[in-house]
Amino acid sequence: MAPPPPSPSMAPPGLIHSAPGLQDTCALLPSPPAAVGSRMSGPATDTPSAIQICRIMRPDDANVAGNVHGGTILKMIEEAGAIISTRHCNSQNGERCVAALARVERTDFLSPMCIGEVAHVSAEITYTSKHSVEVQVNVMSENILTGTKRLTNKATLWYVPLSLKNVDKVLEVPPVVYSRQEQEEEGRKRYEAQKLERMETKWRNGDIVQPVLNPEPNTVSYSQSSLIHLVGPSDCTLHGFVHGGVTMKLMDEVAGIVAARHCKTNIVTASVDAINFHDKIRKGCVITISGRMTFTSNKSMEIEVLVDADPVVDNSQKRYRAASAFFTYVSLSQEGKPLPVPQLVPETEDEKKRFEEGKGRYLQMKAKRQGHAEPQP
């Protein structure tokens, strides 16, 4: 896929601002592709409305087939979003804050990224409400031997500014200035839609994944998996709660294990439905990331991932649901060609209900893609 032409809406070339842990960060970059078509400027400050980070993909970023883990890319997307939204929220005089991830809209993995390629992650602020920031992110993969680039990911993230003095306090966001009135109206519609979806998802998150002894192959119980992780300082912001990108990477790892157990082949992330962050995860918590198969089509499988946090050092707080999402994976041959997916066998009434819900999401997204003339995974 040819890279899109550069947009005049982005800031001029300049220093890349990267989060801790990013390796091989370049010093200067050309203007990245814009997430929106028309120019939108920020407040009357020197704060840029767009940034780009990049780094080369290494063997520990990828699976055994050399494809970069979806979780690695999601983590880079979140880092770029956190940088630009935190910078914007501190662009005016007032109480200092840090931007925390609240939601990631559906993310499609349009093309695989491989070891040795350079990921270019471009982030741009596209809307602000009173208490939230919308950031749109594009990911380009560059073959540094040939110079060719291709679009691999597009994502929309929502952040909220939390006070440094009290991380439970949400502050107001400085407004942005739109070049067209339609931009603000379109952004407001996206804001209202994601707010409603996030609340609906939170109320649906009462169930948990229970282990089953001696499950039959191709059943939900056979492939379901859990990962238990103690949240340490390296997982957290300087203010003691977990980076959203760290959580998303762990979620992708668990979903990948579920998919591999079901197919017993090489698998790759095809897309991620909206990831909702319902509550912050603090340093010292034990988190349980659970994944279970919910639906299979001929060539794809949907996995529900739930993140529960247990504040073991705080007796005043009980275990709670911190995040949830649906991941879609495809099965690949050794040559990288799509393989048929073994059909899921739902056993209980709850599993059958989740299967039908997953089928509905699959058909809805399939119709949407065909309406936009996009290729099917």
Short mmCIF file of all heavy atoms in Angstrom, two decimals, residues 311-363:
data_model
loop_
_atom_site.label_atom_id
_atom_site.label_comp_id
_atom_site.label_asym_id
_atom_site.label_seq_id
_atom_site.Cartn_x
_atom_site.Cartn_y
_atom_site.Cartn_z
N PRO A 311 -6.16 -5.04 44.43
CA PRO A 311 -5.23 -4.23 45.24
C PRO A 311 -4.85 -4.97 46.52
O PRO A 311 -5.39 -4.72 47.60
CB PRO A 311 -6.03 -2.95 45.54
CG PRO A 311 -7.41 -3.18 45.03
CD PRO A 311 -7.52 -4.56 44.51
N VAL A 312 -3.91 -5.90 46.41
CA VAL A 312 -3.60 -6.81 47.52
C VAL A 312 -3.02 -6.09 48.73
O VAL A 312 -3.07 -6.61 49.85
CB VAL A 312 -2.62 -7.91 47.05
CG1 VAL A 312 -3.30 -8.84 46.07
CG2 VAL A 312 -1.38 -7.30 46.42
N VAL A 313 -2.45 -4.90 48.53
CA VAL A 313 -1.87 -4.17 49.67
C VAL A 313 -2.85 -3.17 50.27
O VAL A 313 -2.50 -2.41 51.18
CB VAL A 313 -0.58 -3.44 49.24
CG1 VAL A 313 0.48 -4.43 48.83
CG2 VAL A 313 -0.87 -2.44 48.12
N ASP A 314 -4.09 -3.17 49.75
CA ASP A 314 -5.11 -2.23 50.24
C ASP A 314 -6.38 -3.00 50.57
O ASP A 314 -7.15 -3.36 49.68
CB ASP A 314 -5.38 -1.15 49.18
CG ASP A 314 -6.36 -0.09 49.68
OD1 ASP A 314 -6.79 -0.18 50.84
OD2 ASP A 314 -6.69 0.82 48.89
N ASN A 315 -6.60 -3.26 51.84
CA ASN A 315 -7.76 -4.04 52.26
C ASN A 315 -9.08 -3.29 52.09
O ASN A 315 -10.15 -3.89 52.13
CB ASN A 315 -7.61 -4.47 53.73
CG ASN A 315 -6.46 -5.45 53.93
OD1 ASN A 315 -6.16 -6.23 53.02
ND2 ASN A 315 -5.82 -5.41 55.09
N SER A 316 -9.00 -1.98 51.88
CA SER A 316 -10.22 -1.18 51.78
C SER A 316 -10.86 -1.29 50.40
O SER A 316 -12.00 -0.87 50.21
CB SER A 316 -9.93 0.29 52.09
OG SER A 316 -9.04 0.85 51.12
N GLN A 317 -10.15 -1.82 49.41
CA GLN A 317 -10.67 -1.90 48.06
C GLN A 317 -10.73 -3.35 47.59
O GLN A 317 -9.80 -4.13 47.79
CB GLN A 317 -9.81 -1.08 47.09
CG GLN A 317 -10.44 -0.91 45.70
CD GLN A 317 -9.62 0.03 44.82
OE1 GLN A 317 -8.52 0.41 45.17
NE2 GLN A 317 -10.18 0.41 43.67
N LYS A 318 -11.84 -3.71 46.95
CA LYS A 318 -12.01 -5.07 46.46
C LYS A 318 -11.53 -5.19 45.02
O LYS A 318 -11.25 -4.19 44.35
CB LYS A 318 -13.48 -5.47 46.57
CG LYS A 318 -14.01 -5.51 48.00
CD LYS A 318 -15.48 -5.95 48.02
CE LYS A 318 -16.01 -6.00 49.44
NZ LYS A 318 -17.44 -6.42 49.49
N ARG A 319 -11.46 -6.42 44.56
CA ARG A 319 -11.09 -6.70 43.16
C ARG A 319 -12.10 -6.01 42.23
O ARG A 319 -13.30 -6.00 42.50
CB ARG A 319 -11.11 -8.21 42.95
CG ARG A 319 -10.75 -8.69 41.55
CD ARG A 319 -10.95 -10.20 41.51
NE ARG A 319 -10.72 -10.76 40.19
CZ ARG A 319 -9.68 -11.51 39.87
NH1 ARG A 319 -8.75 -11.78 40.79
NH2 ARG A 319 -9.53 -12.00 38.67
N TYR A 320 -11.62 -5.43 41.12
CA TYR A 320 -12.50 -4.71 40.21
C TYR A 320 -12.08 -4.92 38.76
O TYR A 320 -10.94 -5.27 38.47
CB TYR A 320 -12.50 -3.21 40.55
CG TYR A 320 -11.14 -2.54 40.44
CD1 TYR A 320 -10.75 -1.90 39.25
CD2 TYR A 320 -10.25 -2.53 41.51
CE1 TYR A 320 -9.51 -1.28 39.14
CE2 TYR A 320 -9.02 -1.92 41.41
CZ TYR A 320 -8.65 -1.29 40.23
OH TYR A 320 -7.42 -0.69 40.13
N ARG A 321 -13.04 -4.70 37.85
CA ARG A 321 -12.79 -4.80 36.42
C ARG A 321 -12.12 -3.51 35.94
O ARG A 321 -12.67 -2.44 36.06
CB ARG A 321 -14.10 -5.05 35.68
CG ARG A 321 -14.04 -5.15 34.17
CD ARG A 321 -13.23 -6.33 33.65
NE ARG A 321 -13.41 -7.57 34.36
CZ ARG A 321 -14.41 -8.42 34.16
NH1 ARG A 321 -15.34 -8.16 33.26
NH2 ARG A 321 -14.47 -9.56 34.85
N ALA A 322 -10.91 -3.63 35.38
CA ALA A 322 -10.14 -2.46 34.97
C ALA A 322 -10.22 -2.17 33.48
O ALA A 322 -10.19 -1.01 33.07
CB ALA A 322 -8.68 -2.64 35.38
N ALA A 323 -10.33 -3.21 32.65
CA ALA A 323 -10.35 -3.00 31.19
C ALA A 323 -10.98 -4.20 30.52
O ALA A 323 -11.03 -5.31 31.08
CB ALA A 323 -8.94 -2.75 30.65
N SER A 324 -11.44 -4.00 29.28
CA SER A 324 -12.04 -5.09 28.51
C SER A 324 -11.96 -4.75 27.02
O SER A 324 -11.93 -3.58 26.64
CB SER A 324 -13.49 -5.32 28.92
OG SER A 324 -14.27 -4.15 28.72
N ALA A 325 -11.93 -5.80 26.20
CA ALA A 325 -11.85 -5.59 24.75
C ALA A 325 -12.10 -6.91 24.03
O ALA A 325 -12.09 -8.00 24.63
CB ALA A 325 -10.49 -5.03 24.34
N PHE A 326 -12.32 -6.81 22.71
CA PHE A 326 -12.40 -7.97 21.83
C PHE A 326 -11.28 -7.88 20.80
O PHE A 326 -11.13 -6.86 20.12
CB PHE A 326 -13.76 -8.03 21.11
CG PHE A 326 -14.91 -8.36 22.01
CD1 PHE A 326 -15.70 -7.35 22.54
CD2 PHE A 326 -15.20 -9.67 22.35
CE1 PHE A 326 -16.77 -7.64 23.37
CE2 PHE A 326 -16.26 -9.98 23.19
CZ PHE A 326 -17.04 -8.96 23.70
N PHE A 327 -10.49 -8.96 20.69
CA PHE A 327 -9.41 -9.05 19.72
C PHE A 327 -9.81 -10.03 18.63
O PHE A 327 -10.43 -11.06 18.91
CB PHE A 327 -8.12 -9.54 20.37
CG PHE A 327 -7.42 -8.52 21.25
CD1 PHE A 327 -7.98 -8.13 22.45
CD2 PHE A 327 -6.21 -7.97 20.87
CE1 PHE A 327 -7.35 -7.20 23.26
CE2 PHE A 327 -5.57 -7.04 21.67
CZ PHE A 327 -6.14 -6.65 22.88
N THR A 328 -9.45 -9.73 17.39
CA THR A 328 -9.69 -10.64 16.27
C THR A 328 -8.35 -11.10 15.70
O THR A 328 -7.47 -10.26 15.42
CB THR A 328 -10.52 -9.97 15.16
OG1 THR A 328 -11.78 -9.58 15.70
CG2 THR A 328 -10.75 -10.92 14.00
N TYR A 329 -8.21 -12.41 15.54
CA TYR A 329 -6.98 -13.00 15.02
C TYR A 329 -7.27 -13.82 13.77
O TYR A 329 -8.41 -14.28 13.57
CB TYR A 329 -6.34 -13.93 16.07
CG TYR A 329 -5.54 -13.21 17.12
CD1 TYR A 329 -6.17 -12.52 18.15
CD2 TYR A 329 -4.16 -13.21 17.08
CE1 TYR A 329 -5.43 -11.85 19.11
CE2 TYR A 329 -3.42 -12.55 18.04
CZ TYR A 329 -4.06 -11.87 19.05
OH TYR A 329 -3.33 -11.20 20.00
N VAL A 330 -6.23 -14.01 12.96
CA VAL A 330 -6.31 -14.91 11.82
C VAL A 330 -5.20 -15.93 11.94
O VAL A 330 -4.15 -15.67 12.53
CB VAL A 330 -6.21 -14.15 10.47
CG1 VAL A 330 -7.41 -13.27 10.27
CG2 VAL A 330 -4.92 -13.34 10.40
N SER A 331 -5.45 -17.11 11.36
CA SER A 331 -4.48 -18.20 11.36
C SER A 331 -3.71 -18.19 10.05
O SER A 331 -4.29 -18.03 8.98
CB SER A 331 -5.22 -19.53 11.54
OG SER A 331 -4.32 -20.62 11.41
N LEU A 332 -2.37 -18.35 10.14
CA LEU A 332 -1.53 -18.29 8.94
C LEU A 332 -0.70 -19.55 8.79
O LEU A 332 -0.28 -20.18 9.77
CB LEU A 332 -0.59 -17.08 9.02
CG LEU A 332 -1.23 -15.70 9.10
CD1 LEU A 332 -0.13 -14.64 9.20
CD2 LEU A 332 -2.12 -15.43 7.89
N SER A 333 -0.43 -19.90 7.53
CA SER A 333 0.47 -21.01 7.23
C SER A 333 1.91 -20.53 7.37
O SER A 333 2.17 -19.35 7.62
CB SER A 333 0.23 -21.49 5.79
OG SER A 333 0.60 -20.48 4.86
N GLN A 334 2.87 -21.45 7.19
CA GLN A 334 4.28 -21.07 7.26
C GLN A 334 4.66 -20.09 6.17
O GLN A 334 5.63 -19.35 6.30
CB GLN A 334 5.15 -22.33 7.17
CG GLN A 334 5.02 -23.26 8.36
CD GLN A 334 5.93 -24.47 8.27
OE1 GLN A 334 6.51 -24.74 7.21
NE2 GLN A 334 6.05 -25.20 9.36
N GLU A 335 3.88 -20.08 5.09
CA GLU A 335 4.13 -19.14 3.99
C GLU A 335 3.40 -17.81 4.19
O GLU A 335 3.46 -16.93 3.33
CB GLU A 335 3.70 -19.76 2.65
CG GLU A 335 4.53 -20.95 2.21
CD GLU A 335 4.17 -22.21 2.99
OE1 GLU A 335 2.99 -22.32 3.43
OE2 GLU A 335 5.06 -23.07 3.17
N GLY A 336 2.68 -17.68 5.32
CA GLY A 336 1.97 -16.45 5.59
C GLY A 336 0.61 -16.35 4.94
O GLY A 336 0.02 -15.27 4.87
N LYS A 337 0.07 -17.48 4.44
CA LYS A 337 -1.24 -17.48 3.80
C LYS A 337 -2.32 -17.80 4.83
O LYS A 337 -2.11 -18.62 5.74
CB LYS A 337 -1.28 -18.51 2.68
CG LYS A 337 -0.22 -18.31 1.59
CD LYS A 337 -0.44 -17.02 0.84
CE LYS A 337 0.57 -16.86 -0.29
NZ LYS A 337 0.40 -15.58 -1.02
N PRO A 338 -3.52 -17.17 4.72
CA PRO A 338 -4.60 -17.46 5.66
C PRO A 338 -5.04 -18.91 5.62
O PRO A 338 -5.12 -19.52 4.55
CB PRO A 338 -5.73 -16.53 5.19
CG PRO A 338 -5.06 -15.46 4.41
CD PRO A 338 -3.87 -16.11 3.75
N LEU A 339 -5.28 -19.47 6.79
CA LEU A 339 -5.74 -20.85 6.92
C LEU A 339 -7.16 -20.87 7.48
O LEU A 339 -7.57 -19.96 8.18
CB LEU A 339 -4.82 -21.63 7.87
CG LEU A 339 -3.40 -21.91 7.41
CD1 LEU A 339 -2.61 -22.56 8.55
CD2 LEU A 339 -3.39 -22.80 6.18
N PRO A 340 -7.91 -21.93 7.17
CA PRO A 340 -9.23 -22.08 7.80
C PRO A 340 -9.09 -22.20 9.32
O PRO A 340 -8.12 -22.78 9.82
CB PRO A 340 -9.78 -23.38 7.19
CG PRO A 340 -9.00 -23.57 5.94
CD PRO A 340 -7.64 -23.00 6.19
N VAL A 341 -10.03 -21.65 10.05
CA VAL A 341 -10.02 -21.68 11.51
C VAL A 341 -10.93 -22.79 12.00
O VAL A 341 -12.08 -22.91 11.54
CB VAL A 341 -10.50 -20.32 12.08
CG1 VAL A 341 -10.68 -20.40 13.59
CG2 VAL A 341 -9.51 -19.22 11.72
N PRO A 342 -10.45 -23.66 12.91
CA PRO A 342 -11.34 -24.68 13.49
C PRO A 342 -12.56 -24.00 14.12
O PRO A 342 -12.43 -23.00 14.83
CB PRO A 342 -10.47 -25.35 14.55
CG PRO A 342 -9.06 -25.08 14.12
CD PRO A 342 -9.08 -23.74 13.44
N GLN A 343 -13.73 -24.53 13.85
CA GLN A 343 -14.95 -23.89 14.34
C GLN A 343 -15.14 -24.11 15.84
O GLN A 343 -14.96 -25.22 16.35
CB GLN A 343 -16.16 -24.41 13.57
CG GLN A 343 -16.17 -23.96 12.11
CD GLN A 343 -16.08 -22.45 11.98
OE1 GLN A 343 -17.03 -21.73 12.28
NE2 GLN A 343 -14.93 -21.94 11.55
N LEU A 344 -15.49 -23.03 16.51
CA LEU A 344 -15.70 -23.07 17.96
C LEU A 344 -16.96 -23.86 18.29
O LEU A 344 -17.97 -23.76 17.58
CB LEU A 344 -15.82 -21.64 18.49
CG LEU A 344 -16.00 -21.47 20.00
CD1 LEU A 344 -14.75 -21.92 20.74
CD2 LEU A 344 -16.32 -20.00 20.32
N VAL A 345 -16.90 -24.62 19.38
CA VAL A 345 -18.05 -25.40 19.83
C VAL A 345 -18.52 -24.84 21.17
O VAL A 345 -18.01 -25.21 22.23
CB VAL A 345 -17.68 -26.89 19.98
CG1 VAL A 345 -18.91 -27.70 20.43
CG2 VAL A 345 -17.11 -27.45 18.69
N PRO A 346 -19.48 -23.92 21.17
CA PRO A 346 -20.01 -23.40 22.43
C PRO A 346 -20.85 -24.46 23.12
O PRO A 346 -21.63 -25.17 22.49
CB PRO A 346 -20.85 -22.20 22.00
CG PRO A 346 -21.22 -22.46 20.59
CD PRO A 346 -20.11 -23.27 19.99
N GLU A 347 -20.69 -24.57 24.45
CA GLU A 347 -21.38 -25.64 25.20
C GLU A 347 -22.49 -25.09 26.08
O GLU A 347 -23.60 -25.61 26.06
CB GLU A 347 -20.35 -26.40 26.05
CG GLU A 347 -19.29 -27.11 25.21
CD GLU A 347 -18.25 -27.78 26.08
OE1 GLU A 347 -17.56 -27.07 26.85
OE2 GLU A 347 -18.13 -29.02 26.01
N THR A 348 -22.21 -24.08 26.86
CA THR A 348 -23.22 -23.57 27.80
C THR A 348 -24.10 -22.53 27.12
O THR A 348 -23.79 -22.02 26.03
CB THR A 348 -22.54 -22.94 29.02
OG1 THR A 348 -21.84 -21.75 28.63
CG2 THR A 348 -21.54 -23.91 29.65
N GLU A 349 -25.18 -22.17 27.79
CA GLU A 349 -26.07 -21.15 27.25
C GLU A 349 -25.37 -19.79 27.15
O GLU A 349 -25.58 -19.04 26.19
CB GLU A 349 -27.33 -21.03 28.12
CG GLU A 349 -28.26 -22.23 28.01
CD GLU A 349 -28.73 -22.47 26.58
OE1 GLU A 349 -29.05 -21.47 25.89
OE2 GLU A 349 -28.76 -23.63 26.14
N ASP A 350 -24.54 -19.48 28.15
CA ASP A 350 -23.79 -18.21 28.10
C ASP A 350 -22.83 -18.20 26.92
O ASP A 350 -22.67 -17.18 26.25
CB ASP A 350 -23.02 -18.01 29.40
CG ASP A 350 -23.92 -17.56 30.55
OD1 ASP A 350 -25.04 -17.12 30.27
OD2 ASP A 350 -23.49 -17.68 31.71
N GLU A 351 -22.17 -19.33 26.67
CA GLU A 351 -21.24 -19.40 25.54
C GLU A 351 -21.97 -19.27 24.21
O GLU A 351 -21.48 -18.61 23.28
CB GLU A 351 -20.45 -20.71 25.60
CG GLU A 351 -19.46 -20.78 26.75
CD GLU A 351 -18.83 -22.14 26.90
OE1 GLU A 351 -19.20 -23.07 26.14
OE2 GLU A 351 -17.97 -22.31 27.78
N LYS A 352 -23.14 -19.86 24.11
CA LYS A 352 -23.93 -19.74 22.88
C LYS A 352 -24.39 -18.30 22.67
O LYS A 352 -24.42 -17.80 21.55
CB LYS A 352 -25.13 -20.69 22.95
CG LYS A 352 -24.74 -22.17 22.91
CD LYS A 352 -25.96 -23.06 23.09
CE LYS A 352 -25.55 -24.54 23.10
NZ LYS A 352 -26.70 -25.44 23.34
N LYS A 353 -24.76 -17.64 23.77
CA LYS A 353 -25.18 -16.24 23.68
C LYS A 353 -24.02 -15.36 23.23
O LYS A 353 -24.18 -14.50 22.35
CB LYS A 353 -25.71 -15.77 25.04
CG LYS A 353 -26.16 -14.31 25.03
CD LYS A 353 -26.67 -13.90 26.42
CE LYS A 353 -27.08 -12.44 26.42
NZ LYS A 353 -27.55 -12.01 27.78
N ARG A 354 -22.83 -15.58 23.81
CA ARG A 354 -21.66 -14.79 23.42
C ARG A 354 -21.29 -15.08 21.96
O ARG A 354 -20.82 -14.18 21.24
CB ARG A 354 -20.47 -15.08 24.34
CG ARG A 354 -20.60 -14.44 25.72
CD ARG A 354 -19.29 -14.48 26.47
NE ARG A 354 -18.92 -15.83 26.85
CZ ARG A 354 -19.25 -16.40 28.00
NH1 ARG A 354 -19.96 -15.72 28.89
NH2 ARG A 354 -18.87 -17.63 28.27
N PHE A 355 -21.48 -16.32 21.51
CA PHE A 355 -21.19 -16.68 20.12
C PHE A 355 -22.08 -15.88 19.17
O PHE A 355 -21.62 -15.34 18.16
CB PHE A 355 -21.39 -18.19 19.91
CG PHE A 355 -20.99 -18.66 18.54
CD1 PHE A 355 -19.70 -19.12 18.31
CD2 PHE A 355 -21.90 -18.67 17.49
CE1 PHE A 355 -19.32 -19.56 17.04
CE2 PHE A 355 -21.53 -19.10 16.23
CZ PHE A 355 -20.24 -19.55 16.01
N GLU A 356 -23.37 -15.80 19.49
CA GLU A 356 -24.30 -15.05 18.63
C GLU A 356 -23.99 -13.56 18.64
O GLU A 356 -24.10 -12.89 17.60
CB GLU A 356 -25.75 -15.30 19.09
CG GLU A 356 -26.24 -16.71 18.83
CD GLU A 356 -26.18 -17.05 17.34
OE1 GLU A 356 -26.54 -16.19 16.51
OE2 GLU A 356 -25.77 -18.18 17.00
N GLU A 357 -23.59 -13.04 19.81
CA GLU A 357 -23.19 -11.63 19.88
C GLU A 357 -21.94 -11.38 19.05
O GLU A 357 -21.84 -10.36 18.34
CB GLU A 357 -22.95 -11.23 21.33
CG GLU A 357 -24.23 -11.19 22.18
CD GLU A 357 -23.94 -10.94 23.65
OE1 GLU A 357 -22.75 -11.07 24.05
OE2 GLU A 357 -24.88 -10.64 24.39
N GLY A 358 -21.00 -12.32 19.11
CA GLY A 358 -19.79 -12.19 18.30
C GLY A 358 -20.09 -12.27 16.82
O GLY A 358 -19.49 -11.55 16.01
N LYS A 359 -21.01 -13.13 16.46
CA LYS A 359 -21.42 -13.24 15.06
C LYS A 359 -22.03 -11.93 14.57
O LYS A 359 -21.77 -11.48 13.45
CB LYS A 359 -22.43 -14.38 14.90
CG LYS A 359 -22.87 -14.63 13.47
CD LYS A 359 -23.84 -15.80 13.38
CE LYS A 359 -24.29 -16.06 11.95
NZ LYS A 359 -25.24 -17.21 11.88
N GLY A 360 -22.82 -11.30 15.43
CA GLY A 360 -23.41 -10.01 15.07
C GLY A 360 -22.35 -8.95 14.84
O GLY A 360 -22.43 -8.16 13.89
N ARG A 361 -21.33 -8.90 15.72
CA ARG A 361 -20.24 -7.93 15.54
C ARG A 361 -19.47 -8.21 14.25
O ARG A 361 -19.09 -7.28 13.52
CB ARG A 361 -19.30 -7.97 16.74
CG ARG A 361 -19.85 -7.32 18.00
CD ARG A 361 -18.80 -7.26 19.09
NE ARG A 361 -18.44 -8.58 19.59
CZ ARG A 361 -19.05 -9.20 20.61
NH1 ARG A 361 -20.05 -8.59 21.23
NH2 ARG A 361 -18.66 -10.39 21.01
N TYR A 362 -19.27 -9.49 13.97
CA TYR A 362 -18.53 -9.88 12.75
C TYR A 362 -19.29 -9.46 11.50
O TYR A 362 -18.71 -8.87 10.58
CB TYR A 362 -18.32 -11.39 12.76
CG TYR A 362 -17.82 -11.95 11.45
CD1 TYR A 362 -16.49 -11.81 11.05
CD2 TYR A 362 -18.69 -12.63 10.59
CE1 TYR A 362 -16.04 -12.33 9.85
CE2 TYR A 362 -18.25 -13.15 9.38
CZ TYR A 362 -16.92 -12.99 9.02
OH TYR A 362 -16.48 -13.49 7.82
N LEU A 363 -20.58 -9.73 11.46
CA LEU A 363 -21.37 -9.38 10.27
C LEU A 363 -21.48 -7.87 10.11
O LEU A 363 -21.45 -7.35 8.98
CB LEU A 363 -22.76 -10.01 10.38
CG LEU A 363 -22.80 -11.54 10.30
CD1 LEU A 363 -24.22 -12.04 10.53
CD2 LEU A 363 -22.26 -12.04 8.96
#
